[in-house]
Amino acid sequence: MWAFPENTHPPPESETALRAAEKSLQQAKAHHSEVEAKLSESRRVKEQLQAHNRVTYSDFIQGIVLKQRPSAAS
């Protein structure tokens, strides 16, 4: 015999915590696609800036080394 009866029902606090965790997970999943889109945009902008900086730096070096004016395209 046990001194304490077996409790078959979880305490209400654990049910509340479980519902809160499920709600948080649903919210995170809902925002996942938005976050992925922002990350993709950020990577695209970063690549564009790097490409622009390479062209600008290249024109600058050409101007110094070859004493040429930078191209009109930049």
Side-chain angles (χ1 to χ4, degrees), residues 22-47:
E22 287 173 346
K23 182 178 179 181
S24 177
L25 178 61
Q26 289 172 353
Q27 289 173 342
K29 285 180 179 179
H31 291 293
H32 180 74
S33 59
E34 180 182 338
V35 170
E36 284 290 326
K38 286 182 180 180
L39 179 60
S40 295
E41 175 68 10
S42 174
R43 288 179 176 156
R44 186 185 65 77
V45 168
K46 180 180 176 183
E47 289 171 3

Side-chain angles (χ1 to χ4, degrees), residues 54-63 68-74:
R54 280 191 297 271
V55 169
T56 303
Y57 182 72
S58 175
D59 287 348
F60 177 72
I61 295 299
Q62 269 186 345
Q68 295 176 349
R69 294 182 75 177
S71 64
S74 56

